[in-house]
C-alpha cells in the first residue's frame, strides 16, 4: 500500500512539473486592423523556465498582409540589456536578439518587445516565434494572430 502511494505521488509530481513547462513560454498577442492601419504586436515572456542572460529568436509572418516598419519598443524585461536589437533578416522574418550582464531570474514575466507593422491587405496572418536559441532554447511558444477588421 505504501509503495502504491509513493508511485502515485511521483506520477503526480511528474505531471505537475511537466505542466509547468508548457506554461512557461514566449507568446505574441493578437491584433486586428484595416488596410493602412499601424498595428503593434507585443512579444512577452510568461513565467520563464530558467534564468536569461542571452536570447535570440525569429518571428515569421505573412509579408503580403503585414509590413514591418522597422520600428520597435523595448519591453520592461529587456530595458537594462547591454545589447538588444531587432532586424528584418528576410521578407517575412524578424530577428530579435539581446544580451545582459544581469540575468533575468527564472519565473519572470513581462514584455520583451513591441513590433510595429503597417497593414497591407485585408487578410489574416499568423506571427510565429521560431528558431529560439540561447536561454530560450526548447521553450514553448504562442502565436499571435492578425485579423482584418472592417468598418460598418
Amino acid at each position: 500500500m505504501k509503495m502504491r502511494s509513493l508511485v502515485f505521488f511521483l506520477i503526480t509530481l511528474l505531471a505537475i512539473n511537466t505542466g509547468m513547462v508548457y506554461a512557461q513560454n514566449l507568446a505574441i498577442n493578437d491584433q486586428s486592423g484595416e488596410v493602412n492601419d499601424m498595428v503593434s504586436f507585443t512579444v512577452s515572456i510568461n513565467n520563464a523556465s530558467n534564468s536569461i542572460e542571452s536570447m535570440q529568436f525569429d518571428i515569421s509572418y505573412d509579408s503580403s498582409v503585414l509590413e514591418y516598419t522597422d520600428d520597435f519598443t523595448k519591453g520592461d524585461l529587456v530595458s537594462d540589456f547591454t545589447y538588444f536589437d531587432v532586424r528584418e533578416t528576410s521578407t517575412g522574418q524578424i530577428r530579435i536578439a539581446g544580451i545582459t550582464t544581469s540575468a533575468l531570474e527564472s519565473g519572470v514575466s513581462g514584455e520583451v518587445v513591441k513590433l510595429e507593422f503597417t497593414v497591407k491587405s485585408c487578410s489574416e496572418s499568423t506571427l510565429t516565434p521560431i528558431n529560439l536559441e540561447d536561454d530560450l532554447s526548447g521553450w514553448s511558444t504562442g502565436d499571435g494572430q492578425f485579423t482584418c477588421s472592417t468598418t460598418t
Side-chain angles (χ1 to χ4, degrees), residues 33-39 65-66 117-122 146:
E34 298 177 18
V35 174
N36 295 323
D37 281 355
M38 299 293 249
V39 292
V65 178
L66 298 171
F117 294 84
T118 301
V119 179
K120 291 173 61 176
S121 68
C122 195
F146 172 77

Side-chain angles (χ1 to χ4, degrees), residues 83-111:
Y83 170 82
F84 186 83
D85 196 25
V86 178
R87 293 176 191 257
E88 188 170 38
T89 56
S90 62
T91 303
Q93 190 163 313
I94 299 168
R95 174 157 298 153
I96 294 100
I99 299 171
T100 184
T101 55
S102 302
L104 300 176
E105 294 182 13
S106 175
V108 71
S109 295
E111 293 181 0

Side-chain angles (χ1 to χ4, degrees), residues 3 14 19 52 59 65 75 81 101 120 122 131 136-137 139 145:
M3 183 60 128
L14 179 62
I52 303 166
I59 304 287
V65 178
F81 269 39
T101 55
K120 291 173 61 176
C122 195
N131 304 325
L136 306 185
S137 181
W139 282 21
Q145 299 295 322

Side-chain angles (χ1 to χ4, degrees), residues 11-101:
I11 290 172
T12 302
L13 187 60
L14 179 62
I16 290 170
N17 285 335
T18 302
M20 287 174 61
V21 170
Y22 291 111
Q24 302 157 352
N25 61 26
L26 184 71
I28 304 172
N29 69 326
D30 297 337
Q31 289 293 336
S32 63
E34 298 177 18
V35 174
N36 295 323
D37 281 355
M38 299 293 249
V39 292
S40 183
F41 288 88
T42 302
V43 180
S44 299
I45 289 176
N46 304 307
N47 195 16
S49 59
N50 49 274
S51 63
I52 303 166
E53 292 179 359
S54 63
M55 65 172 71
Q56 179 174 299
F57 60 95
D58 297 332
I59 304 287
S60 68
Y61 62 96
D62 185 342
S63 61
S64 69
V65 178
L66 298 171
E67 180 177 353
Y68 179 56
T69 65
D70 291 324
D71 192 16
F72 69 91
T73 305
K74 289 168 63 171
D76 58 335
L77 285 183
V78 299
S79 61
D80 293 333
F81 269 39
T82 308
Y83 170 82
F84 186 83
D85 196 25
V86 178
R87 293 176 191 257
E88 188 170 38
T89 56
S90 62
T91 303
Q93 190 163 313
I94 299 168
R95 174 157 298 153
I96 294 100
I99 299 171
T100 184
T101 55

